[in-house]
């Protein structure tokens, strides 16, 4: 497995939508309504959030049909602290971004890469996660480097940063686009494609439950953040970022991170969220500074 590192950037910094139940906020309804009135929202008094049903570990649907996952839990806690209700609607990655541009949603709650191209049409919070880009094959695969996939069918979710990765870094591969990760993995398992490109955290989740392996691992070029409407309320964006920083300081973020991830926190994320430096110092979550 090939791993390229950008950790030197740290350089010492670390010595159809399915309508789902509302996520309640703290305090009584009167307090919630008062807090929500502070923000300019698509729907008065509630944050309308687009999410996905099958993007582990960021956004998935549990057995009761409720959204959960790292991004969802992080959003729910931030909203609770702000005293605001959240109403989730499930869609695809493309649906999240298109819906934000069309003014249908206030925020996207999933693992969404904050790319320069996407910033032209949506606003982003500061990244709350930074991971890897992984190329998956079946368990018996022998590929260990990107050139090993020349001429082979490589799948990615349509509109994802992984699709961009294949186009840019695997130009001699044959790109096959899918509407979501479920369809992508199904085709990999059935032999319809030779490899699947996913975010590292999602890849880890599939490796744990399916007969697949990570053939190539590369650090991501951008972090995951909450996308928001370009014409949305800048105060809401600022307040969400402040609440995530508060969760970092009081240990809530680290608790959630450990629930969903096993890798150390990326050096690039600590650059974006410097309050993490103190939290991970001298722990197993500290970045490898080699």
């Amino acid at each position: 497995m090939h791993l390229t590192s950008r950790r030197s950037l740290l350089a010492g910094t670390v010595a159809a939508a399915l309508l789902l139940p509302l996520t309640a906020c703290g305090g009584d309804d009167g307090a919630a309504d008062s807090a929500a009135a502070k923000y300019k929202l698509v729907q008065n008094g509630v944050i309308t959030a687009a999410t996905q049903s099958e993007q582990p570990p960021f956004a998935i649907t549990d057995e009761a049909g409720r959204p959960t996952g790292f991004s969802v839990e992080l959003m729910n806690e931030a909203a609770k602290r702000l005293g605001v209700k959240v109403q989730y609607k499930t869609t695809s990655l493309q649906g999240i971004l298109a819906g934000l541009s069309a003014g249908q949603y206030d925020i996207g709650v999933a693992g969404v890469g904050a790319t320069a191209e996407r910033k032209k049409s949506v606003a982003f919070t500061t990244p709350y996660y930074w991971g890897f880009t992984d190329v998956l094959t079946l368990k018996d695969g022998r590929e260990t480097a990107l050139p090993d996939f020349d001429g082979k069918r490589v799948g990615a979710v349509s509109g994802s940063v992984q699709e961009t990765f294949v186009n840019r870094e695997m130009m001699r591969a044959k790109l096959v686009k899918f509407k979501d990760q479920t369809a992508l993995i199904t085709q990999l398992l059935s032999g319809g494609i030779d490899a699947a490109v996913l975010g590292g955290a999602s890849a880890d989740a599939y490796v744990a439950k399916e007969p697949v392996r990570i053939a190539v691992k590369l650090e991501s070029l951008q972090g995951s953040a909450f996308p928001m409407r370009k014409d949305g309320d800048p105060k809401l964006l600022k307040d969400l970022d402040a609440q995530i920083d508060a969760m970092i300081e009081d240990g809530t973020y680290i608790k959630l991170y450990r629930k969903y991830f096993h890798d150390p926190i990326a050096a690039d994320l600590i650059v974006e969220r410097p309050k993490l430096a103190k939290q991970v110092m001298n722990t197993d979550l500290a970045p490898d500074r080699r």
Side-chain angles (χ1 to χ4, degrees):
M1 182 171 64
H2 177 62
L3 171 62
T4 59
S5 174
R6 292 165 56 241
R7 293 186 175 92
S8 58
L9 292 175
L10 187 59
T13 301
V14 180
L18 172 64
L19 197 61
L20 295 161
L22 298 182
T23 300
C25 61
D28 58 27
D29 289 341
D33 292 342
S34 175
K38 297 186 300 183
Y39 304 117
K40 182 177 70 174
L41 302 169
V42 170
Q43 182 179 341
N44 212 17
V46 61
I47 294 174
T48 303
T51 189
Q52 297 190 77
S53 61
E54 186 60 31
Q55 194 204 18
F58 296 99
I60 56 176
T61 299
D62 66 16
E63 293 180 356
R66 295 172 301 208
T68 188
F70 179 68
S71 300
V72 175
E73 288 204 49
L74 196 67
M75 180 63 198
N76 288 348
E77 179 63 23
K80 178 181 177 181
R81 294 180 182 211
L82 289 174
V84 184
K85 294 180 180 180
V86 183
Q87 189 176 69
Y88 288 97
K89 297 183 178 182
T90 59
T91 182
S92 63
L93 172 61
Q94 288 183 311
I96 290 174
L97 297 172
L100 287 169
S101 296
Q104 294 177 308
Y105 313 123
D106 296 301
I107 192 168
V109 181
V112 181
T115 66
E117 184 63 28
R118 289 172 178 171
K119 289 177 181 178
K120 295 176 183 178
S121 56
V122 299
F124 278 99
T125 62
T126 300
Y128 60 81
Y129 176 80
W130 206 295
F132 298 90
T133 297
D134 289 357
V135 182
L136 290 183
T137 70
L138 293 177
K139 201 83 168 180
D140 59 359
R142 294 292 180 266
E143 300 90 348
T144 59
L146 295 183
D148 294 340
F149 296 95
D150 289 355
K152 296 186 178 181
R153 291 168 58 82
V154 176
V157 173
S158 181
S160 67
V161 294
Q162 289 78 35
E163 178 188 347
T164 302
F165 175 87
V166 175
N167 283 327
R168 186 181 62 196
E169 305 293 338
M170 305 174 75
M171 292 182 291
R172 295 184 180 179
K174 299 175 181 178
L175 173 64
V176 183
K177 295 187 281 187
F178 296 89
K179 67 184 181 72
D180 55 36
Q181 288 185 182
T182 301
L184 173 64
I185 294 299
T186 297
Q187 282 298 298
L188 177 62
L189 294 173
S190 68
I193 55 176
D194 300 296
V197 181
L198 292 167
S202 294
D204 289 343
Y206 287 115
V207 168
K209 64 181 180 179
E210 303 289 357
V212 297
R213 61 184 273 273
I214 297 172
V216 180
K217 179 182 286 286
L218 298 165
E219 284 194 12
S220 296
L221 299 178
Q222 67 284 307
S224 295
F226 292 124
M228 302 181 69
R229 287 188 294 128
K230 199 79 167 177
D231 63 347
D233 194 331
K235 177 173 170 49
L236 177 59
L237 189 154
K238 181 180 178 180
D239 287 354
L240 285 173
D241 267 333
Q243 290 303 325
I244 293 172
D245 277 338
M247 281 185 263
I248 289 171
E249 288 190 288
D250 67 23
T252 302
Y253 176 93
I254 296 297
K255 182 178 179 181
L256 282 175
Y257 187 94
R258 286 189 182 279
K259 178 178 178 180
Y260 288 101
F261 306 107
H262 302 292
D263 292 328
I265 288 175
D268 295 283
L269 182 61
I270 297 175
V271 172
E272 297 285 349
R273 297 274 184 183
K275 293 181 186 295
L276 277 167
K278 182 179 179 180
Q279 294 291 328
V280 304
M281 186 179 299
N282 301 321
T283 74
D284 60 320
L285 293 180
D288 182 348
R289 291 162 56 190
R290 289 176 298 175

